[in-house]
């Protein structure tokens, strides 16, 4: 997985912040979808690697609950976990026990957390029931 993430990082487009991120979402049937972060001159118009990969899976017909695990890497030696916007998307589309693996770029360290640990108090469709 580490080599796949390192290769994907080469496709990241980060001319402004120079913080490249790659993500691979693995579905329960074994299919993998990769994504990288893409920056634009208007930061809100870009997309993070995690949502890029997740939304590509949805584009190909996968549904809520189809994600098995998520792998993330940046070109730094720090742990790289999804931002809060991505955590929200993951909490909407993934089961609470889905594991998110943070791989470091040059060594073999991997830190793992579940979606539940990364987003302990999610706002979800359950919160919207009865308010529509």
């Amino acid at each position: 997985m580490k080599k796949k993430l390192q290769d994907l990082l080469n496709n990241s487009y980060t001319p402004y912040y120079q913080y490249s991120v790659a993500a691979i979402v693995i579905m329960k049937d074994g299919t993998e979808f990769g994504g990288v972060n893409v920056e634009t001159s208007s930061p809100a118009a870009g997309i993070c690697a995690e949502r890029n990969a997740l939304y590509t899976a949805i584009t190909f017909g996968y549904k809520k609950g189809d994600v098995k695990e998520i792998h993330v890497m940046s070109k730094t030696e720090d742990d790289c976990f999804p931002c809060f916007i991505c955590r929200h998307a993951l909490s909407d589309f993934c089961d609470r026990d889905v594991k998110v693996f943070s791989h470091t770029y040059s060594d073999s360290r991997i830190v793992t957390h579940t979606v539940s640990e990364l987003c302990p108090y999610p706002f979800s469709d359950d919160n919207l029931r009865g308010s529509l």
Side-chain angles (χ1 to χ4, degrees), residues 85-125:
I85 295 171
C86 289
R87 291 177 193 207
H88 185 93
L90 294 175
S91 72
D92 271 358
F93 289 100
C94 299
D95 295 332
R96 307 283 292 145
D97 62 346
V98 166
K99 291 184 178 170
V100 180
F101 299 90
S102 173
H103 300 256
T104 54
Y105 187 78
S106 65
D107 64 28
S108 59
R109 189 175 78 239
I110 301 171
V111 177
T112 307
H113 290 287
T114 63
V115 169
S116 179
E117 291 169 333
L118 292 175
C119 192
Y121 304 104
F123 181 88
S124 70
D125 53 354

Side-chain angles (χ1 to χ4, degrees), residues 25 27 33 51-67 89 92-94:
V25 173
M27 311 312 286
F33 293 95
R51 282 181 290 135
N52 198 344
L54 179 64
Y55 295 166
T56 300
I58 292 165
T59 299
F60 280 88
Y62 288 89
K63 306 288 184 225
K64 181 176 184 167
D66 288 343
V67 175
D92 271 358
F93 289 100
C94 299

